[in-house]
Amino acid sequence: IEGEEVSIVFFEGNVLDISMPDKVVLEITETTPPANNCSATATKDATTNTGLRLRVPMFIKEGEKIIVSTADGKYSSRA
């Protein structure tokens, strides 16, 4: 994400390590409308402003900001 801070460790011109934040806030740009009366564990496909495609809970709607884990690219919570 543009403007996000990361740490890069170089040694003799080679990248040794890149450290990213554990979680990032992304905006949902595409998904189906929220569904009512679904189980708490039901999910649906969504796409974020970075192009990441992931599964989110049924109550998430377009334009909503969510928190995503950078370790596995999965939905963590609402922002």
Side-chain angles (χ1 to χ4, degrees):
I1 300 172
E2 187 174 335
E4 192 73 40
E5 288 192 30
V6 297
S7 291
I8 303 174
V9 178
F10 289 95
F11 180 73
E12 295 182 0
N14 296 313
V15 176
L16 295 181
D17 186 43
I18 298 175
S19 297
M20 298 173 45
D22 293 334
K23 297 181 180 183
V24 293
V25 176
L26 301 176
E27 183 177 344
I28 298 297
T29 57
E30 185 179 327
T31 193
T32 57
N36 295 328
N37 302 325
C38 288
S39 73
T41 59
T43 60
K44 61 182 179 177
D45 292 324
T47 304
T48 68
N49 56 317
T50 63
L52 175 68
R53 299 185 73 166
L54 72 165
R55 304 285 294 174
V56 297
M58 296 299 284
F59 58 81
I60 298 295
K61 58 187 175 205
E62 287 184 13
E64 194 161 356
K65 293 190 185 226
I66 61 169
I67 297 174
V68 176
S69 168
T70 58
D72 58 13
K74 292 185 178 180
Y75 170 88
S76 180
S77 66
R78 283 180 163 160

